Amino acid sequence: MRIVIAGGHGQIALRLERLLAARGDEVAGIIRKAEQADDLREAGAEPVVLDLESASVDEVAERLRGADAAVFAAGAGPGSGAARKDTVDKAAAILFADAAVKAGVRRFVVVSSMGADPQHEGDEIFDVYQRAKGEADAYVRGLDALDWTILRPGQLTDDAGTGLVRLEAHTGRGPIPRDDVAAVLAELVDTSATAGLTLELISGPAPVSVAVKSVAGN
């Protein structure tokens, strides 16, 4: 498969790139800064320098053409203000989805956030973030031209992955190592029978492949 990842230098994206490259997939990661390119090459991914905050749908679609799947893993990051939650977490996600439709890439996986909700109330930065992610998710869900799956991990940690997760429509809150999020994403990209599902993810009792198979087709 050829897989294009938005936010290619993110912590989850770099882990995902290593997993996909190791299993023989062709991976490209969209990054904002040219100086991030070597980290992607080291992970086995082809770096694509493109700023999703200023690019057009046509420019992004051009980078997606020929891909078998697209993964939106970009984020404004914890140090960013409210404005970039709108321009990255919402607008860039919508742009990437529209570009996938234009490029004819059906398989589309979104890394969202547990609690993301377009109706989320409040003015704190995290409230704005949850609202932005919720609005982006709602937009993607409305696109019939995409076989989308939305993944909402719990509290992200840098602990070593265990390969054991709980993946359901509603899991309740809990931690999840970034390693395990990447492992689930690698399975989801490959499992189009999870299309149309919004899934929460925390650490749990089931091996990743078993957890993904058990929700597929539901």
Side-chain angles (χ1 to χ4, degrees):
M1 291 178 78
R2 176 171 171 79
I3 299 147
V4 179
I5 301 170
H9 195 256
Q11 295 185 67
I12 290 170
L14 285 167
R15 288 167 166 83
L16 176 59
E17 285 153 7
R18 287 188 199 99
L19 291 175
L20 295 174
R23 76 181 190 192
D25 288 326
E26 187 185 325
V27 194
I30 295 176
I31 52 176
R32 212 157 44 94
K33 302 173 182 169
E35 57 266 30
Q36 297 170 334
D38 284 346
D39 290 339
L40 269 74
R41 290 190 192 98
E42 200 177 299
E46 166 203 339
V48 176
V49 181
L50 183 68
D51 187 348
L52 293 177
E53 287 179 271
S54 59
S56 69
V57 171
D58 285 337
E59 286 172 318
V60 182
E62 193 53 44
R63 308 310 200 282
L64 280 165
R65 225 170 288 288
D68 299 293
V71 178
F72 186 81
S80 59
R84 293 201 69 231
K85 305 303 182 197
D86 267 338
T87 57
V88 179
D89 294 296
K90 178 184 171 183
I94 289 171
L95 173 77
F96 197 60
D98 285 342
V101 172
K102 187 152 201 170
V105 181
R106 287 204 65 94
R107 188 70 184 119
F108 194 84
V109 179
V110 178
V111 183
S112 184
S113 168
M114 194 175 286
D117 180 356
Q119 307 302 323
H120 185 91
E121 295 182 353
D123 301 316
E124 299 295 321
I125 295 289
F126 189 68
D127 297 323
V128 176
Y129 169 74
Q130 292 288 60
R131 202 156 47 240
K133 293 297 278 186
E135 287 168 345
D137 291 354
Y139 185 85
V140 169
R141 284 198 196 106
L143 295 174
D144 294 336
L146 295 181
D147 295 329
W148 54 264
T149 303
I150 294 170
L151 183 66
R152 294 179 166 175
Q155 179 199 346
L156 298 170
T157 75
D158 287 325
D159 297 340
T162 64
L164 296 171
V165 301
R166 187 172 169 203
L167 179 70
E168 296 167 17
H170 301 289
T171 60
R173 296 195 174 271
I176 180 79
R178 288 178 172 87
D179 287 351
D180 290 334
V181 177
V184 169
L185 287 168
E187 286 279 337
L188 288 175
V189 160
D190 230 5
T191 313
S192 56
T194 60
L197 299 180
T198 299
L199 299 166
E200 295 183 350
L201 174 68
I202 57 174
S203 292
V208 166
S209 59
V210 173
V212 171
K213 283 190 183 76
S214 72
V215 296
N218 290 346

